[in-house]
Amino acid sequence: MARARDHELYQAALNVIAGGVNSPVRAFKAVGGEPVFVERGEGARFWSPDGREYIDYVQSWGAMILGHAHPRVIQAIQVAAAKGTSFGAPTEAETELASKICGAIPSIERVRLVNSGTEATMSAIRLARGFTKRDKVVKFAGCYHGHSDYLLVAAGSGGATFGIPDSAGVPRAFAEQTVVLPYNDLDAVGESFRLGGDDIAAVIVEPIAANMGVVPPREGFLELLRGLCTKHGALLIFDEVITGFRLCYGGAQSLLEIQPDLTCLGKIIGGGLPIGAYGGRAEVMKCLAPEGDVYQAGTLSGNPIATAAGLETLHVLEEENPYDTISQRAESLASGMARLVAEVGTAACVNRVGSLLTVFFGVDEVASYEQARSASGKLFSSFFAKMLELGVHLPPSPFEAWFVSAAHSEADIERTLEAVAASVKGLA
Ligand code: PMP
């Protein structure tokens, strides 16, 4: 067996870890086969315990924008760890990271650091409810905002991959507080606000959807959300857990020129360590305890090592401004892939925004969750398996974004395209 050690490790994991993985998207359920284990990573690559080398487009689901084990980030982690790993008392570095975030994203006047994207969105929702004194939340089908009860409804990639529309264990009464609308559907948004806009505490949205595969917002969609939220006194929450510091130094909101009331962050701001953050207008953020009566807390929040890794990542991004280069590399990959798939006569659509991209097989256009779901999982699975054999590690689901990092070189993209050329042959 080509991946004998991976197989052994997976069997061992299955005996002690629920489902063999600590997060469902790591399992290869959607594409068949068994996960690749990682022994070590460097830059765009990682190596498995079988000794195989992979060009990696998962990159910790977007957290590793500088690639694996960036020397400056590792150094910052080592220095921080040597001084103590957690205190439960404030440190100066937390204020430094918070200042960087507030400086880069003008809609964030005050921020709170937490430990994951899920915590960020869950807490932002509670804060919005506390601030508006309303209960209803609007989300969009196919957008994922972590796994808290209110948001695990029509939640995109994970659920779409496994065909679970909602999670068992979410009380109906909770889910009923969440209004789910189709992403990019301006009429549905207008109608929903017309019928009950004054009961809506918040609208939460991925400003560029990346959990149904990459789907950019239609012109006017986010503008409409901004206008209606303002008119009805609801808060607009941008979930920038993926897009924050990924498309530019700051949020997608600065590219799109729309200011949300609250923003959720994660991934990149922790440089590969567990982190999340949410922030917004001072007037709203002051409702949080200890100033206000909305409670949210965390033993490890603002953890010194995560803070140091995040700070150093932001320093490197600010100094090197790699965004144009990463985008160009992603564009070469996206256009090369579209050409190679067209050459073999298979219908496909490659969506790309900056360094995020997704190939949808068997469809010509994807601008909505329905269109994303109509893409062929079967074609993706055989493509995925061949790419893996050829040393390219893609997200193991047709509904995920691929993440190009600053460490992916032109040569890596060329090698990837060679693998694509070989993998699309015979796709029918
Ligand atoms: N929001 C978005 C947009 C995400 O993509 C994710 C995770 N992929 C989350 C929230 C949840 O973040 P975490 O996995 O850190 O809890």
Side-chain angles (χ1 to χ4, degrees):
M1 188 184 187
R3 296 202 283 120
R5 186 71 187 130
D6 282 348
H7 176 69
E8 269 172 33
L9 290 172
Y10 188 47
Q11 295 311 308
L14 283 167
N15 283 329
V16 285
I17 296 175
V21 286
N22 282 314
S23 191
V25 286
R26 293 179 200 170
F28 276 24
K29 279 255 158 72
V31 289
E34 297 181 349
V36 179
F37 277 65
V38 182
E39 194 165 81
R40 75 180 179 89
E42 194 184 314
R45 291 178 159 66
F46 70 69
W47 288 264
S48 74
D50 276 314
R52 290 167 65 92
E53 178 178 310
Y54 295 91
I55 301 180
D56 180 29
Y57 289 96
V58 174
Q59 294 288 334
S60 190
W61 302 95
M64 312 312 300
I65 192 167
L66 300 176
H68 298 297
H70 189 282
R72 279 182 58 182
V73 179
I74 299 302
Q75 163 87 10
I77 290 171
Q78 286 168 341
V79 169
K83 292 186 190 166
T85 56
S86 183
F87 303 107
T91 57
E92 188 179 349
E94 291 164 66
T95 308
E96 281 178 46
L97 181 56
S99 308
K100 281 249 162 254
I101 292 171
C102 294
I105 305 179
S107 71
I108 305 184
E109 292 173 350
R110 299 280 187 281
V111 67
R112 190 42 87 73
L113 299 179
V114 293
N115 301 290
S116 68
T118 294
E119 253 189 84
T121 51
M122 177 184 83
S123 309
I125 294 289
R126 183 181 304 141
L127 174 59
R129 287 178 164 148
F131 177 77
T132 59
K133 314 265 185 273
R134 302 172 181 177
D135 290 339
K136 289 265 188 260
V137 170
V138 172
K139 81 174 283 291
F140 295 93
C143 284
Y144 179 67
H145 304 293
H147 62 87
S148 68
D149 285 341
Y150 292 104
L151 296 171
L152 205 53
V153 185
S157 46
T161 303
F162 299 113
I164 307 169
D166 309 299
S167 172
V170 175
R172 178 183 300 228
F174 286 24
E176 277 170 7
Q177 300 302 326
T178 307
V179 178
V180 182
L181 300 177
Y183 189 79
N184 270 342
D185 187 333
L186 282 73
D187 292 342
V189 171
E191 181 67 1
S192 185
F193 268 91
R194 199 180 58 74
L195 291 176
D198 294 344
D199 295 329
I200 296 171
V203 175
I204 185 165
V205 65
E206 290 181 73
I208 293 159
N211 280 291
M212 50 180 112
V214 175
V215 180
R218 258 176 70 185
E219 217 184 308
F221 176 61
L222 298 171
E223 289 80 356
L224 180 71
L225 297 183
R226 177 64 282 172
L228 287 173
C229 282
T230 304
K231 181 169 166 212
H232 289 271
L235 297 189
L236 179 60
I237 305 175
F238 274 8
D239 181 348
E240 298 226 37
V241 167
I242 285 183
T243 54
F245 295 94
R246 165 136 302 265
L247 307 171
C248 63
Y249 187 81
Q253 56 194 266
S254 32
L255 294 178
L256 299 164
E257 295 181 351
I258 297 177
Q259 291 232 333
D261 300 293
L262 292 173
T263 300
C264 301
L265 297 166
K267 300 191 192 260
I268 289 173
I269 60 156
L273 273 84
I275 208 164
Y278 64 107
R281 297 208 311 272
E283 171 206 7
V284 180
M285 294 300 286
K286 85 170 195 279
C287 295
L288 282 176
E291 278 177 285
D293 56 3
V294 176
Y295 196 73
Q296 178 272 313
T299 301
L300 294 175
S301 293
N303 173 268
I305 307 180
T307 302
L311 252 180
E312 194 59 23
T313 299
L314 297 193
H315 283 312
V316 174
L317 289 172
E318 202 176 15
E319 280 164 38
E320 297 184 357
N321 191 13
Y323 293 101
D324 284 349
T325 311
I326 318 181
S327 237
Q328 280 158 20
R329 303 256 151 88
E331 172 52 24
S332 307
L333 179 56
S335 56
M337 199 151 48
R339 179 175 44 79
L340 290 167
V341 181
E343 274 170 20
V344 295
T346 303
C349 143
V350 184
N351 280 3
R352 180 189 73 85
V353 180
S355 54
L356 301 168
L357 63 122
T358 302
V359 55
F360 297 97
F361 287 108
V363 288
D364 296 321
E365 194 207 343
V366 174
S368 68
Y369 187 41
E370 287 81 68
Q371 284 173 322
R373 297 209 62 172
S374 68
S376 167
K378 210 166 138 243
L379 287 183
F380 180 81
S381 298
S382 41
F383 174 73
F384 173 89
K386 287 192 186 142
M387 292 292 281
L388 196 69
E389 233 175 81
L390 296 171
V392 181
H393 183 249
L394 300 174
S397 159
F399 305 113
E400 298 284 4
W402 306 8
F403 298 93
V404 180
S405 78
H408 286 83
S409 64
E410 247 168 68
D412 292 329
I413 302 295
E414 273 167 33
R415 261 214 55 202
T416 306
L417 285 172
E418 281 164 24
V420 171
S423 300
V424 294
K425 273 194 198 125
L427 277 189

